[in-house]
Amino acid sequence: MKEDQFRTLYKKAVDSMKPDEDMKKELINKLEQRQERKRPRKSVYIAASIVIAAGIGLAAPNILQQLNSGQSTQGQITQVTPSPSEPGNAGTNASGSIVIPKLELPDMKSGVMADMIALVVYKDNIYTQSATRIDAADAAALRGDKLGRTTGGIDEWSGKDKYTELASNIGETDIYSVKGYDASFLIMSYSEINGEVFAELYEHTNGITINSGADLFGKLNLEGRITSAQWESFDSWNNGLQQSTPLADGESLSGFLTALQAAKPLAAEPLIEQGIYDSEDRKILYLQLEDNARVELTLFGQGLVRYGQAPVFFEVESVSFQKLWDSMKL
């Protein structure tokens, strides 16, 4: 989806969901401000504290939002990682596992600037906008049991008392489980307004420990469910050209996915501090699943993979990674 299309649909959704008036004005202002800014040709990652969590018994840490203003998809947010200066950051324990703590509100008294990503509170956990996408036309088929209805009202200045069950910053909408997925990992917002479907996936990737790729990618049930795969160059992705190319080599993909399950997790923060996003040596891999969900993975030339906003990279076995990487040529 192009940015102008997104803005149009997002405004329409916001207007229809009956949000808090102050929140509605704020969202529209942000969109208008983004439109006024000239988009850079190169990705720029802006670290900004984001407001997330607590009040429902959550022991939650601050996190930094990596806002890629050069290219974005739904919600305009592409990266989230813990602050290096705050307690509770994702880190490596003695066994080599990555511990991703729950999210928490930053201290508003510190005067830190705040931006928010789309979020829903469900069963004492915070679900953020997923890196797995669905088209509106396919959402109904994936809709499972109704879990409740969100309340709006969370914004950058919300206190812990606002983080109650099904609180959100997406207005009022119904929340469902997703067929074929564990609701402890993935849920769906779904609304039909004047015959038009508005649906979004939200995933729970904080407050968990990752020992290998299987602890994250296993939740997506990739094995045996991929119907097609495409990839996109960094230049196309960065400039919003959406020039994806079919991935013809099924053998290289199969080997890569097997290796991905066993991949070694690495904390995101040190790699980001070292400038991993300064390099354009990246490719985007899109996996179309049999249920029409689409999983997006970012591959880095040094043999690393990242999924969505989880503050963790995965180091994939080099031969399998390189075979797939080399097959992605124009």
Side-chain angles (χ1 to χ4, degrees):
M1 179 184 292
K2 295 181 179 179
E3 186 170 351
D4 55 348
Q5 293 174 316
F6 166 77
R7 281 199 295 268
T8 300
L9 289 175
Y10 195 58
K11 279 186 175 181
K12 187 173 182 178
V14 169
D15 289 341
S16 303
M17 288 182 179
K18 301 178 182 179
D20 176 87
E21 284 301 309
D22 290 337
M23 180 182 176
K24 177 180 173 181
K25 292 177 181 177
E26 182 186 348
L27 288 171
I28 293 175
N29 287 337
K30 285 182 177 180
L31 290 169
E32 290 174 343
Q33 289 169 7
R34 287 183 60 82
Q35 189 173 20
E36 293 171 357
R37 291 198 299 267
K38 183 179 180 180
R39 295 176 62 193
R41 304 296 287 179
K42 181 179 179 181
S43 291
V44 177
Y45 291 89
I46 303 172
S49 293
I50 88 168
V51 179
I52 291 204
I56 48 177
L58 300 179
N62 295 347
I63 60 177
L64 289 183
Q65 174 184 338
Q66 301 292 316
L67 176 60
N68 181 348
S69 59
Q71 191 276 348
S72 58
T73 55
Q74 302 168 46
Q76 307 300 307
I77 304 300
T78 58
Q79 309 291 343
V80 173
T81 188
S83 164
S85 59
E86 298 293 340
N89 294 338
T92 306
N93 63 20
S95 66
S97 301
I98 297 298
V99 179
I100 303 175
K102 288 190 174 184
L103 309 178
E104 76 177 13
L105 284 166
D107 182 3
M108 292 292 100
K109 295 180 181 177
S110 67
V112 66
M113 295 296 294
D115 268 315
M116 297 192 76
I117 60 175
L119 65 87
V120 174
V121 179
Y122 175 63
K123 288 193 173 180
D124 289 357
N125 290 309
I126 292 178
Y127 290 65
T128 53
Q129 191 173 40
S130 177
T132 298
R133 313 296 188 190
I134 52 169
D135 291 334
D138 302 313
L142 277 171
R143 188 176 51 172
D145 297 330
K146 185 174 179 178
L147 304 176
R149 185 171 176 82
T150 59
T151 58
I154 290 181
D155 58 29
E156 292 91 334
W157 299 274
S158 295
K160 292 183 178 180
D161 61 321
K162 298 292 185 182
Y163 285 79
T164 55
E165 183 69 359
L166 289 173
S168 78
N169 61 355
I170 61 171
E172 297 181 18
T173 184
D174 292 329
I175 297 294
Y176 294 85
S177 61
V178 184
K179 292 180 180 177
Y181 300 86
D182 190 335
S184 67
F185 171 67
L186 197 67
I187 58 176
M188 176 197 296
S189 65
Y190 184 97
S191 295
E192 291 187 17
I193 303 171
N194 298 326
E196 188 169 2
V197 172
F198 296 90
E200 195 73 69
L201 297 176
Y202 294 86
E203 59 195 9
H204 171 222
T205 56
N206 62 88
I208 60 175
T209 297
I210 296 180
N211 301 294
S212 69
D215 289 328
L216 182 57
F217 300 111
K219 297 176 180 177
L220 293 167
N221 306 323
L222 299 179
E223 187 175 3
R225 295 204 311 131
I226 297 173
T227 58
S228 65
Q230 295 188 320
W231 71 278
E232 185 176 10
S233 69
F234 175 80
D235 180 68
S236 171
W237 178 86
N238 191 45
N239 291 289
L241 302 180
Q242 299 182 315
Q243 296 174 337
S244 56
T245 303
L247 188 66
D249 189 348
E251 182 181 348
S252 66
L253 178 62
S254 177
F256 167 81
L257 292 174
T258 299
L260 186 62
Q261 296 293 311
K264 176 184 176 182
L266 302 172
E269 177 55 32
L271 291 165
I272 293 172
E273 282 194 332
Q274 293 165 16
I276 190 170
Y277 282 103
D278 293 339
S279 171
E280 298 182 358
D281 193 21
R282 279 179 264 166
K283 298 173 182 178
I284 316 303
L285 178 62
Y286 303 104
L287 304 174
Q288 190 74 29
L289 306 185
E290 61 184 11
D291 59 12
N292 292 324
R294 189 178 74 161
V295 175
E296 178 179 325
L297 304 176
T298 302
L299 278 59
F300 297 78
Q302 54 269 64
L304 302 179
V305 176
R306 191 174 188 192
Y307 170 75
Q309 300 167 0
V312 59
F313 287 78
F314 292 90
E315 186 177 25
V316 180
E317 183 270 317
S318 59
V319 173
S320 299
F321 181 91
Q322 198 61 46
K323 190 173 182 180
L324 178 66
W325 183 270
D326 291 344
S327 72
M328 297 175 174
K329 292 182 179 177
L330 297 175

